[in-house]
Amino acid sequence: MKKNLIALSAALLCAAGAHAQSSVQLTGLSDAYVGSMKMAGDADRRSVVNSGGLTTSWFGFKGTEDLGGGLKASFQLTSFLQVDTGTQGRFTGDTFFSRDANVSLSGDFGSVLLGRWMSPNFLPSVVGNPLGDSFTFSPLILHMNVPLFNGTGWAATTPADTGWSNQIVYSTPKFGGFSANIQYQFGEQAGNNGRKNVGANFFYFGGPLTLTGFYERDQIANPGQGAYLGTTKKDWMLLGAYDFGVVKPFLSYGEAKADNTDNKAKTMQIGASVPVGPSGKVLVEWVKTEMTQTDIDRKTFTLGYDHFLSKRTDVYAMLMNDRITSRSTGNSIGLGIRHRF
């Protein structure tokens, strides 16, 4: 009897181990470039070695545990960094795990995530432009997410960062290439729990066709705990691309507006990715954002080449022209290396 109990216990432990398989990995990306930078309205040109030419550098930990029955638990703890100086974060005051800090459960129902994760605007803008998530050379990402602190008064059109803290996210399963995320960020404002961020995005990948878009209604700033923006800001965009093989064109249009002003930002993008041999591609992107009430517009054009030395390492060269109404023109050039691990 005792031997049978021991055998049964061992079998149960083995079964539990088979169902509760887990993995944790260290992952990240290092991207640095040397360049000569001048944005529209800048008084002077800057010669730099900077981090994040095509992708913001980051590192961290990700893990998954198989709970059995198709259910999985996952976590992400990832942090941005500046590899040119070793400084943590994207900017002064950025929280340590501002890229990801979350836990989730997933299964046939989709997934539910709690914590800090991408905001609804981020991933659609990345897959919907040929330069991806470049906060240095992608005209679309620059117009949406990077304000200019040079006297031009140019502000980002995205209401509240590319990541949201204190949020709950429901992600649908994939239905024939279609999926969506519904996101809610708790404002956690003392005395006013009604202040919050809500949004959603969708993705369709059908062979050569990519369609995506997002909508946000934001009242809370990010990252970190977040503070009240002082108004309600709304932002939406539709984006698409089609891979013809010899060229992949991109097109998008979106609008952003705050409730306390009649000034609306209208952003249009045209871009393309052109393969060059088995390992390279030419990237071209033009974006115009028009401010409807102030009659000011910004036009940014980038031409670049990205060459993969391996699946994990690529080198790139970028040329960018940046113009704002009644401001001096900016021209920039950058040469960089990007490595994934």
Side-chain angles (χ1 to χ4, degrees):
M1 184 66 173
K2 185 176 180 180
K3 291 181 179 180
N4 289 339
L5 287 174
I6 293 173
L8 178 60
S9 298
L12 289 173
L13 287 172
C14 290
H19 286 293
Q21 295 177 4
S22 62
S23 64
V24 176
Q25 65 177 129
L26 171 66
T27 183
L29 179 148
S30 291
D31 182 329
Y33 70 97
V34 57
S36 177
M37 309 298 292
K38 188 175 186 293
M39 307 304 293
D42 281 354
D44 300 302
R45 174 172 297 280
R46 295 178 302 115
S47 297
V48 301
V49 171
N50 271 353
S51 180
L54 282 187
T55 302
T56 305
S57 301
W58 63 275
F59 75 100
F61 303 90
K62 298 181 179 181
T64 301
E65 181 183 18
D66 188 345
L67 302 175
L71 188 65
K72 292 183 178 181
S74 302
F75 80 92
Q76 299 178 90
L77 293 171
T78 59
S79 175
F80 292 110
L81 76 153
Q82 301 168 47
V83 297
D84 57 320
T85 62
T87 306
Q88 178 272 324
R90 299 165 290 176
F91 45 78
T92 301
D94 200 12
T95 54
F96 191 87
F97 288 122
S98 60
R99 188 177 187 271
D100 291 296
N102 56 65
V103 64
S104 63
L105 286 174
S106 61
D108 293 340
F109 59 89
S111 69
V112 175
L113 176 147
L114 297 175
R116 180 167 174 84
W117 192 57
M118 296 179 289
S119 60
N121 71 77
F122 183 60
L123 196 53
S125 68
V126 171
V127 303
N129 90 84
L131 279 99
D133 55 344
S134 174
F135 281 70
T136 305
F137 293 108
S138 168
L140 184 64
I141 299 299
L142 287 170
H143 285 219
M144 290 178 62
N145 302 308
V146 185
L148 296 176
F149 300 100
N150 57 7
T152 59
W154 191 267
T157 63
T158 295
D161 198 17
T162 56
W164 285 0
S165 304
N166 304 318
Q167 70 167 311
I168 180 170
V169 182
Y170 170 68
S171 301
T172 70
K174 291 183 179 179
F175 302 101
F178 176 86
S179 62
N181 300 292
I182 301 172
Q183 301 178 229
Y184 183 105
Q185 179 183 1
F186 292 81
E188 299 189 1
Q189 299 293 306
N192 195 336
N193 278 325
R195 291 172 181 167
K196 58 188 177 295
N197 291 349
V198 295
N201 57 32
F202 75 91
F203 302 89
Y204 175 75
F205 300 101
L209 178 64
T210 298
L211 294 174
T212 183
F214 69 86
Y215 170 81
E216 292 184 8
R217 180 184 181 276
D218 297 348
Q219 296 175 313
I220 302 298
N222 283 278
Q225 182 66 25
Y228 178 47
L229 292 169
T231 185
T232 299
K233 298 184 177 183
K234 299 175 183 177
D235 190 19
W236 65 268
M237 185 170 286
L238 295 174
L239 310 94
Y242 195 93
D243 192 348
F244 290 97
V246 295
V247 61
K248 183 177 181 179
F250 294 78
L251 183 67
S252 67
Y253 177 80
E255 297 182 359
K257 183 181 177 301
D259 284 0
N260 61 353
T261 178
D262 291 329
N263 211 15
K264 180 186 294 184
K266 295 182 176 181
T267 301
M268 183 180 75
Q269 177 224 179
I270 300 173
S273 173
V274 182
V276 179
S279 304
K281 53 186 176 181
V282 172
L283 307 171
V284 57
E285 183 181 348
W286 177 86
V287 172
K288 175 183 176 181
T289 296
E290 177 186 0
M291 306 306 297
T292 59
Q293 294 297 308
T294 55
D295 199 27
I296 295 175
D297 63 51
R298 183 181 183 185
K299 300 174 183 176
T300 308
F301 174 80
T302 295
L303 174 66
Y305 177 71
D306 187 20
H307 185 84
F308 277 80
L309 303 174
S310 69
K311 290 183 178 180
R312 296 192 299 161
T313 304
D314 57 318
V315 294
Y316 56 86
M318 298 289 149
L319 294 169
M320 183 172 66
N321 175 265
D322 190 32
R323 299 172 182 266
I324 296 178
T325 303
S326 301
R327 301 290 182 173
S328 60
T329 299
N331 292 296
S332 301
I333 182 171
L335 303 171
I337 306 169
R338 180 172 54 174
H339 175 74
R340 303 153 186 83
F341 59 89

